Amino acid sequence: MPVPAIREGMDARLLAAKALGSTAAANDRLTRSRRWYEQVRRCFAAPQTPDCKKETKP
């Protein structure tokens, strides 16, 4: 994720905190998406397992 440009008069700490929060949220979405996709792959390989009875969202 690109870091926003800092202009004169802006608080760099506030922008850094926002950038850190955005990065953490994006990483969380990627992690949850990866886990969901791994479960989908596992269920296609072995659909008889108990955790494959219903599809869960990421």
Side-chain angles (χ1 to χ4, degrees):
M1 300 202 47
V3 178
I6 301 173
R7 295 185 303 266
E8 188 175 335
M10 297 176 86
D11 187 358
R13 294 171 294 183
L14 179 61
L15 291 175
K18 285 182 181 179
L20 183 61
S22 297
T23 302
N27 285 339
D28 182 52
R29 281 191 299 272
L30 290 171
T31 300
R32 286 186 287 125
S33 295
R34 186 193 73 226
R35 287 182 190 152
W36 172 80
Y37 185 70
E38 287 171 354
Q39 180 183 358
V40 169
R41 289 183 66 197
R42 191 171 49 250
C43 288
F44 272 106
Q48 302 87 341
T49 57
D51 63 339
C52 295
K53 293 204 183 281
K54 65 176 186 171
E55 182 179 332
T56 58
K57 295 183 180 179

